[in-house]
Amino acid sequence: MLKSKTFMKKTRSGGILKIVREHYLRDDITCGCQGCDECQQESTVLQLEPILQSSLCQSPHYILPDTNVLLHQIDILEDPIIQNLILLQTVLQEVRRRSAPVYKRIRDLTVNPEKHFYTFTNEHHRETYIEQEQGENANDRNDRAIRTATAWYSKHLKKSANLKNLEVLLITNDQRNKEKAVEEGIIAYTCEEYIKSLLANPELFDRLAYVSDEKNEVESGRIIFSEHIPLSRVQQGIKSGIYLQGTFRASRDNFLEATVWVHGESVENKELKTGNKSKGKPSGKVVGIIKRNWRQYCGMLSKSQIKESTRHLFTPADRQIPRIRIETRQASTLEGQRILVAVDGWPRNSRYPNGHFVRSLGTAGDKETETEVLLLEHDVPHQPFSQAVLSFLPKMPWSIIPEDMKNRVDLRHLFVCSVDPPGCTDIDDALHCRELDNGNLEVGVHIADVSYFIRPGNALDQESSNRGTTVYLCDKRIDMVPELLSSNLCSLRSEVERLAFSCIWEISQDANIINTKFTKSVINSKASLTYAEAQMRIDSPDMNDEITKSLRLLNKLAKILKKRRIDNGALTLSSPEVRFHMDSETHDPIDLQTKELKETNSMVEEFMLLANISVAQKIFDEFPEYALLRKHPAPPPGNYDILVKAAKSKNLEIKTDSAKALADSLDTAESAEFPYLNTLLRILATRCMMQAVYFCSGMDSDFHHYGLASPIYTHFTSPIRRYADIIVHRLLAVAVGADYTYPDLTDKHKLNDICKNINYRHKMAQYSQRSSVAFHTQLFFKHKGILNEEGFILFVRKNAIVVLIPKFGLEGTVFFEEKDKVKPRLIYNDEFPSLTVEDTTFNMFDKVKVKITLDASNIQHQKIRMALVEPEIPGVTSNENDQRKANGEPISKKSKPGK
């Protein structure tokens, strides 16, 4: 059956275009119910005997929700107890239009066989399709289509002897739609009515989202927040230039400060909603919200003091988020638990937004629970890979077949090896170097050919694109791709054949590149080494095997390449990284130390940089509009103020006119009396840098990478853990004729969207990794107790100093003004950043001794506290006896005052 619509459309050029749309209706669309005698269906989804028992409906029944229920009550629908839902095409199309995240969650539920969610294409069914009537709006038409489909299902089920007792319940929060449904003989309930009727599952009531009925809402109490202007006025104001549109980003350190990014420019918004100007910087006020970005929040319940009350306050882990009012009957059970809460709305006459309980995460302070919290808070996708994703993995056992050798070079004879950190299982890269007959050297960087296994557009590709990056925490790894690929088929382990993408140079003995070629390949790595093992081979006079000779040649070339890079202005900065040594049984940290870098670390880095630069130039030459590149913007001059002042205080000059000037200044900024000074300056220089970002070459004109002093750069060398590298592999494969292109690969707008996502995922991965280090540091000091350690002042504030402890790579703040304590006399000098406390002056980079303790008074926000031990300041510094007294220990006679 065919329905067609014909209408006229005016084109941009002023012409008239006749549009004909055909809509096919079918009578072979099945109901999806087990035991149906009417439908000829090979497989069914809806169970013959649904398990849900409702006091409102004694008969077994299916649930048919409308659009608003799907949009607002998705947390209820995700509960395992909710099964046998009929999802109408009309409803899904509207949800997809209004909320992409909710639509994805619904699609994930439909592919879960345990949920028994059936999608019914009512818009193409001959008996359920309806046309919009004259004068009827789209919303009313969709409501009528939902009622029509519900009525059809009820009538259809009665035709089968097995299904006569089954009912179909329409669940709607639209009062008008419910009333019309009841008038038409349809069984209809609100979501709240139905959930309350599930007597065997009272906990579901806590997960109901609060949805206000604006038409019937009664204002009570005074208005606390001024109302935002209507969207129509917002759009007019943006068009006329009265208002600026941008993305709001609250400060991670102070919730009263925020930044709004407007067309690539930042407008600092100090003391939000006050409109005050601070330090001469532009400030503004939020007058309207175009699109909210609410998410689910982790935190803890603050139980109400009113006995028998079901209304409680939830305190989020993120201090930028206000407390949220929720209703729950499980308050006693949830005390001391980390829980997940979603925001439903924020009435203008309430100090707190309304929300609902989603689920419990576990006991606060538990390692697994806290890891889950930091992943959720930083929006790191960490759910197990779905069956739809896993279905695109190769079947095991897997081996290379003759077809795989098409457009691929056999390099299995080469003495290739990998060099990685200890315990690395996702080995992206391997190297080889050998002498050629003409006296030159052949150097190869071989990268895992992940793009062979992940094909464009399938579920595996979409999931990898969404995750964007592998996230490395202190005690676990959140893979971007399934483990079969990350730790097996794509990992360039030794003594196994693996597919690779190789960048091979002919290089002279003084490290000048003579020619470069790129090819898909097959390799067989001869050794998987750690940095220490590779260094031992290079240094050992007794080892002269092919792998060792290769490593020595690579190391020699790397030193020349590094010197050349630095001479050209590349920066060598420093950032203290820590490594935890875990207890083999409890997996708690038992030791903490900074990572030691060897020559081999630098060796591998040099050739990865060289490969990335070579590939960047190749893909840009081939695809000037579609190359995925990485740039590092030069910092604004003001960023360097703190570095320049700090160096000046030590009678040193740091020039910041260019990357080379900065690099040269840092190289000469040394002190014989203070060997660690240069490291501190480099750490400080790191804090002045801008964030490096991915971008599409057709959407930007500035390609320069400031830190590397390179005119062009990309990421090619880690496709197992970075989605950007997979795109680069695909571009390079097309460039060298090893693979075919596809539409999205040559669409700069699609590539720009990919860049936005991977930039966001990369930033969130960094934040989550820092949070993991912070949590494990807390665990370490929880077991160690109080420690006194030497450190250096990294920053001077108006009432505090920031101290770096090199031994642990730990940074903390020593405050001189605290509650309930006598405030000392403080004098802050901004010209040479210094702070005078009473009669003691603290300058940047001064050596101090601090007491390190774990403050666990707030279980949700535990902190590492630092207090000054040396130099002693009367009335400010606690002596050893004070510490012993605080710990309940006997006072030491040796440490009595005056002795």
Side-chain angles (χ1 to χ4, degrees):
M1 189 175 178
L2 174 66
K3 297 275 185 180
S4 65
K5 285 184 179 179
T6 303
F7 56 93
M8 303 298 180
K9 181 181 178 182
K10 190 175 182 179
T11 64
R12 287 183 179 178
S13 59
I16 301 297
L17 188 65
K18 182 179 180 181
I19 304 290
V20 179
R21 285 190 179 158
E22 296 180 338
H23 190 88
Y24 290 88
L25 300 179
R26 298 165 52 181
D27 56 10
D28 60 346
I29 296 174
T30 61
C31 66
C33 306
Q34 287 181 13
C36 179
D37 300 330
E38 293 291 307
C39 298
Q40 302 296 320
Q41 47 194 356
E42 294 180 3
S43 61
T44 56
V45 175
L46 299 167
Q47 293 175 301
L48 181 60
E49 297 180 0
I51 60 171
L52 279 175
Q53 296 180 347
S54 166
S55 61
L56 293 173
C57 181
Q58 303 299 325
S59 306
H61 55 272
Y62 300 137
I63 306 166
L64 195 152
D66 73 354
T67 306
N68 281 325
V69 171
L70 256 64
L71 284 170
H72 299 296
Q73 306 295 349
I74 181 65
D75 293 322
I76 289 278
L77 302 182
E78 286 178 329
D79 193 279
I81 197 66
I82 302 296
Q83 299 178 7
N84 294 289
L85 250 71
I86 300 168
L87 299 170
L88 298 181
Q89 180 187 2
T90 305
V91 172
L92 287 175
Q93 286 174 343
E94 182 68 6
V95 169
R96 185 176 191 177
R97 185 181 68 82
R98 291 173 60 181
S99 175
V102 172
Y103 179 75
K104 184 183 183 303
R105 290 167 72 181
I106 288 291
R107 297 306 299 176
D108 289 343
L109 293 174
T110 61
V111 297
N112 182 351
E114 295 178 359
K115 292 291 286 181
H116 303 285
F117 280 21
Y118 181 66
T119 303
F120 180 64
T121 50
N122 63 303
E123 295 290 353
H124 290 279
H125 193 288
R126 188 179 57 165
E127 296 182 45
T128 57
Y129 172 75
I130 61 167
E131 291 191 354
Q132 190 169 343
E133 296 176 349
Q134 191 169 2
E136 185 180 43
N137 62 38
N139 186 63
D140 289 344
R141 183 265 169 200
N142 286 349
D143 284 347
R144 189 161 59 88
I146 293 168
R147 296 195 301 272
T148 301
T150 309
W152 176 86
Y153 253 103
S154 298
K155 182 180 176 183
H156 179 77
L157 296 179
K158 305 299 181 193
K159 294 179 182 178
S160 298
N162 296 329
L163 307 176
K164 279 186 178 180
N165 295 327
L166 271 169
E167 301 286 357
V168 177
L169 309 187
L170 173 61
I171 307 299
T172 176
N173 284 336
D174 186 321
Q175 191 62 34
R176 191 158 162 264
N177 192 27
K178 180 190 171 187
E179 289 169 359
K180 286 196 172 187
V182 172
E183 287 174 11
E184 295 169 12
I186 297 169
I187 306 173
Y189 301 107
T190 66
C191 190
E192 185 174 346
E193 289 171 339
Y194 180 73
I195 294 303
K196 282 183 176 178
S197 77
L198 301 176
L199 302 177
N201 305 96
E203 73 282 355
L204 279 180
F205 179 75
D206 288 354
R207 302 182 70 177
L208 273 172
Y210 171 82
V211 183
S212 64
D213 186 348
E214 294 179 2
K215 290 174 286 188
N216 300 323
E217 191 173 322
V218 179
E219 292 287 352
S220 62
R222 66 187 182 89
I223 303 301
I224 298 174
F225 301 108
S226 57
E227 197 169 8
H228 286 145
I229 61 176
L231 186 59
S232 57
R233 275 183 57 199
V234 170
Q235 291 169 337
Q236 290 171 4
I238 292 170
K239 198 171 182 180
S240 63
I242 298 173
Y243 305 130
L244 296 174
Q245 178 183 346
T247 303
F248 175 90
R249 294 174 185 166
S251 166
R252 294 180 66 84
D253 302 313
N254 184 352
F255 70 90
L256 293 175
E257 294 183 2
T259 304
V260 177
W261 289 90
V262 182
H263 303 300
E265 298 178 5
S266 69
V267 180
E268 291 231 0
N269 183 7
K270 300 286 185 182
E271 297 179 20
L272 184 65
K273 294 185 183 178
T274 62
N276 291 343
K277 288 191 176 182
S278 175
K279 297 182 181 178
K281 293 181 179 179
S283 70
K285 176 182 177 180
V286 176
V287 296
I289 297 173
I290 295 170
K291 183 183 178 184
R292 294 189 185 276
N293 196 25
W294 280 343
R295 59 177 175 85
Q296 295 177 342
Y297 301 100
C298 302
M300 297 183 72
L301 193 73
S302 301
K303 190 179 176 184
S304 172
Q305 298 301 309
I306 302 172
K307 196 175 181 182
E308 305 300 327
S309 174
T310 61
R311 303 188 82 191
H312 308 274
L313 285 177
F314 162 84
T315 304
D318 186 346
R319 294 181 184 273
Q320 300 175 75
I321 308 301
R323 288 192 287 177
I324 301 166
R325 182 179 284 117
I326 67 170
E327 288 201 28
T328 177
R329 303 172 187 178
Q330 308 174 64
S332 298
T333 307
L334 296 178
E335 270 195 301
Q337 300 273 309
R338 288 278 201 174
I339 63 174
L340 201 60
V341 163
V343 174
D344 301 323
W346 195 338
R348 56 182 176 167
N349 58 353
S350 171
R351 288 200 175 276
Y352 308 111
N354 293 321
H356 66 272
F357 169 76
V358 176
R359 64 185 172 97
S360 173
L361 301 172
T363 305
D366 176 76
K367 190 154 65 169
E368 288 300 318
T369 301
E370 297 304 323
T371 300
E372 175 80 357
V373 168
L374 75 87
L375 291 171
L376 288 168
E377 283 297 293
H378 294 104
D379 194 19
V380 175
H382 60 285
Q383 68 280 3
F385 290 98
S386 68
Q387 285 303 314
V389 170
L390 297 176
S391 67
F392 286 95
L393 293 176
K395 301 295 181 287
M396 297 298 288
W398 176 87
S399 61
I400 297 170
I401 58 175
E403 181 65 22
D404 296 331
M405 296 306 297
K406 188 179 180 183
N407 298 322
R408 199 175 290 273
V409 175
D410 190 343
L411 301 179
R412 285 173 282 197
H413 61 285
L414 294 177
F415 287 90
V416 171
C417 73
S418 61
V419 184
D420 291 283
C424 179
T425 60
D426 53 342
I427 303 174
D428 287 290
D429 54 87
L431 297 156
H432 90 273
C433 183
R434 61 176 180 172
E435 290 198 44
L436 300 175
D437 293 340
N438 61 6
N440 291 328
L441 301 172
E442 178 188 87
V443 175
V445 166
H446 311 278
I447 307 300
D449 189 4
V450 182
S451 62
Y452 168 87
F453 296 97
I454 302 180
R455 303 308 296 166
N458 65 26
L460 176 56
D461 181 48
Q462 290 170 3
E463 181 67 20
S464 304
S465 175
N466 178 50
R467 295 191 177 212
T469 183
T470 292
V471 180
Y472 294 89
L473 305 181
C474 292
D475 59 342
K476 68 190 299 184
R477 186 181 79 203
I478 313 298
D479 283 326
M480 183 184 79
V481 299
E483 189 178 18
L484 179 64
L485 298 184
S486 65
S487 296
N488 189 350
L489 301 183
C490 291
S491 184
L492 305 183
R493 301 182 302 182
S494 59
E495 305 303 334
V496 289
E497 296 179 350
R498 288 291 180 256
L499 301 178
F501 210 147
S502 299
C503 177
I504 301 173
W505 303 274
E506 183 179 345
I507 298 181
S508 66
Q509 293 284 349
D510 54 356
N512 289 315
I513 297 173
I514 295 158
N515 62 61
T516 308
K517 67 176 179 180
F518 309 95
T519 181
K520 293 254 184 164
S521 61
V522 179
I523 65 168
N524 189 324
S525 175
K526 303 301 185 286
S528 297
L529 306 174
T530 65
Y531 291 116
E533 288 169 343
Q535 192 68 53
M536 182 194 70
R537 281 174 173 260
I538 291 170
D539 296 339
S540 173
D542 300 325
M543 299 192 74
N544 285 293
D545 58 277
E546 293 296 333
I547 290 294
T548 302
K549 287 192 283 187
S550 175
L551 289 169
R552 287 187 184 128
L553 289 170
L554 288 167
N555 198 40
K556 170 194 157 189
L557 291 171
K559 288 178 180 178
I560 301 171
L561 290 170
K562 183 173 183 177
K563 183 179 183 305
R564 191 175 296 158
R565 271 198 317 109
I566 292 171
D567 290 344
N568 289 334
L571 296 173
T572 304
L573 302 178
S574 180
S575 182
E577 290 186 69
V578 298
R579 179 183 296 280
F580 290 92
H581 295 279
M582 303 293 189
D583 185 280
S584 58
E585 294 182 3
T586 65
H587 299 288
D588 286 339
I590 54 176
D591 196 12
L592 175 63
Q593 64 185 55
T594 51
K595 293 181 182 177
E596 181 186 355
L597 299 181
K598 300 183 180 295
E599 272 189 4
T600 44
N601 291 79
S602 179
M603 177 191 79
V604 173
E605 181 187 18
E606 285 306 315
F607 287 106
M608 297 306 112
L609 293 175
L610 188 62
N612 287 334
I613 292 169
S614 298
V615 170
Q617 191 62 58
K618 178 66 177 178
I619 62 173
F620 177 68
D621 290 343
E622 288 289 330
F623 305 104
E625 289 287 300
Y626 316 118
L628 193 156
L629 303 174
R630 186 166 174 82
K631 70 173 182 177
H632 183 211
N639 279 31
Y640 289 123
D641 287 351
I642 189 70
L643 175 65
V644 172
K645 288 179 181 179
K648 196 174 181 181
S649 70
K650 300 298 180 187
N651 298 316
L652 295 170
E653 184 183 10
I654 297 291
K655 294 181 179 177
T656 60
D657 304 337
S658 65
K660 178 159 178 55
L662 176 61
D664 291 343
S665 298
L666 289 171
D667 286 344
T668 57
E670 293 183 346
S671 168
E673 300 82 33
F674 188 5
Y676 200 67
L677 175 63
N678 190 262
T679 302
L680 288 170
L681 285 168
R682 291 182 189 275
I683 290 172
L684 203 56
T686 304
R687 310 295 173 90
C688 302
M689 295 297 119
M690 303 290 284
Q691 183 76 40
V693 291
Y694 298 103
F695 68 101
C696 174
S697 59
M699 304 290 282
D700 207 324
S701 57
D702 178 19
F703 294 6
H704 191 258
H705 196 291
Y706 179 81
L708 296 174
S710 175
I712 194 166
Y713 191 68
T714 193
H715 271 162
F716 162 76
T717 54
S718 293
I720 293 177
R721 60 185 179 92
R722 294 187 304 228
Y723 189 74
D725 302 55
I726 292 178
I727 296 293
V728 169
H729 275 229
R730 290 173 180 169
L731 288 164
L732 184 61
V734 175
V736 300
D739 207 344
Y740 300 102
T741 188
Y742 57 97
D744 286 2
L745 195 63
T746 52
D747 185 328
K748 62 184 180 183
H749 297 288
K750 293 278 180 66
L751 284 172
N752 193 51
D753 289 341
I754 289 173
C755 288
K756 285 180 182 177
N757 180 64
I758 55 182
N759 284 330
Y760 169 73
R761 294 297 186 198
H762 178 71
K763 182 171 65 176
M764 290 298 106
Q766 286 182 317
Y767 288 154
S768 58
Q769 285 158 204
R770 289 173 196 165
S771 295
S772 181
V773 169
F775 174 66
H776 280 79
T777 303
Q778 291 168 9
L779 283 181
F780 173 75
F781 282 102
K782 182 179 179 180
H783 298 307
K784 287 289 182 183
I786 298 174
L787 293 179
N788 287 353
E789 294 292 342
E790 289 186 340
F792 298 97
I793 298 175
L794 201 55
F795 296 102
V796 176
R797 308 296 189 207
K798 290 183 179 180
N799 66 339
I801 54 174
V802 179
V803 178
L804 172 70
I805 312 296
K807 180 178 177 181
F808 299 135
L810 178 66
E811 204 173 299
T813 305
V814 175
F815 291 98
F816 294 110
E817 289 183 331
E818 296 187 46
K819 290 180 181 178
D820 306 323
K821 287 193 176 182
V822 178
K823 293 185 178 180
R825 181 168 52 88
L826 304 177
I827 301 172
Y828 176 70
N829 184 343
D830 184 47
E831 185 179 357
F832 292 100
S834 67
L835 178 67
T836 301
V837 185
E838 297 298 338
D839 295 321
T840 304
T841 300
F842 296 94
N843 297 294
M844 290 182 69
F845 305 154
D846 281 359
K847 196 173 188 179
V848 293
K849 181 178 277 190
V850 294
K851 176 182 70 174
I852 307 172
T853 57
L854 174 66
D855 180 358
S857 57
N858 183 334
I859 192 170
Q860 179 159 242
H861 296 116
Q862 297 188 40
K863 282 187 173 181
I864 297 293
R865 299 278 186 190
M866 288 189 185
L868 190 66
V869 176
E870 293 178 7
E872 289 189 17
I873 304 174
V876 176
T877 311
S878 60
N879 62 30
E880 188 180 341
N881 279 334
D882 294 332
Q883 295 175 36
R884 289 177 173 273
K885 194 173 180 181
N887 296 336
E889 299 173 3
I891 295 175
S892 169
K893 292 181 180 179
K894 291 182 181 178
S895 58
K896 280 186 179 180
K899 290 285 184 182

